[in-house]
Amino acid sequence: MIPDSFPCQLISWDESYELGRRLAYEIKRSGFRPDLIVAIGRGGYVPARVVSDFLLFSLLASI
């Protein structure tokens, strides 16, 4: 049987942007340098782009 809904948390653009900013900060602070950032379709491209922008990193792919 296919459910009519599933549990999820809706967040605003401002919350999404802030989460991306914080994630980029933590990545920078750790010293990790990614080879590639992968964005997952169905809503993942924009957050991945925000993180890559904060990291000043241009190698972004999507699937």
Side-chain angles (χ1 to χ4, degrees):
M1 176 176 221
I2 299 173
D4 292 330
S5 65
F6 59 91
C8 66
Q9 179 182 355
L10 300 177
I11 61 172
S12 69
W13 163 252
D14 290 338
E15 290 170 304
S16 176
Y17 186 82
E18 178 61 19
L19 288 169
R21 186 191 66 75
R22 280 195 246 160
L23 177 59
Y25 172 79
E26 291 297 326
I27 292 169
K28 281 184 180 179
R29 193 174 73 131
S30 76
F32 178 72
R33 294 288 303 153
D35 296 321
L36 173 69
I37 295 174
V38 178
I40 306 300
R42 296 197 65 175
Y45 188 83
V46 172
R49 174 62 194 267
V50 168
V51 171
S52 69
D53 286 351
F54 276 115
L55 292 176
L56 303 175
F57 189 81
S58 62
L59 197 52
L60 173 62
S62 61
I63 57 171

